[in-house]
Amino acid sequence: MDYVSALVPPIVMAVLFIGVIRVIVKTQGGANKAKEDAAVDAALARTEAARQAGPGRSEG
């Protein structure tokens, strides 16, 4: 019965890993994709604007 106790942890980890991958794949796209893309684009635009108007540059 030692082989059973030796195989259980890898099997459990494999099942959990497959479950995580399935959740990631299922949540890609869908109804919220446009909203998520817009949020990322807005964050990138804010970062770029902050970097361009950062210290050391004079405005005016």
Side-chain angles (χ1 to χ4, degrees):
M1 294 305 278
D2 287 338
Y3 63 90
V4 173
S5 63
L7 289 176
V8 169
I11 291 172
V12 170
M13 291 300 291
V15 169
L16 291 176
F17 181 73
I18 291 169
V20 167
I21 296 301
R22 288 185 67 196
V23 168
I24 290 171
V25 169
K26 282 185 176 183
T27 57
Q28 296 300 307
N32 291 328
K33 183 169 178 31
K35 185 170 43 172
E36 292 171 357
D37 288 346
V40 170
D41 290 341
L44 290 174
R46 283 194 306 266
T47 302
E48 183 66 25
R51 187 171 50 163
Q52 288 179 356
R57 293 199 176 208
S58 61
E59 294 183 23

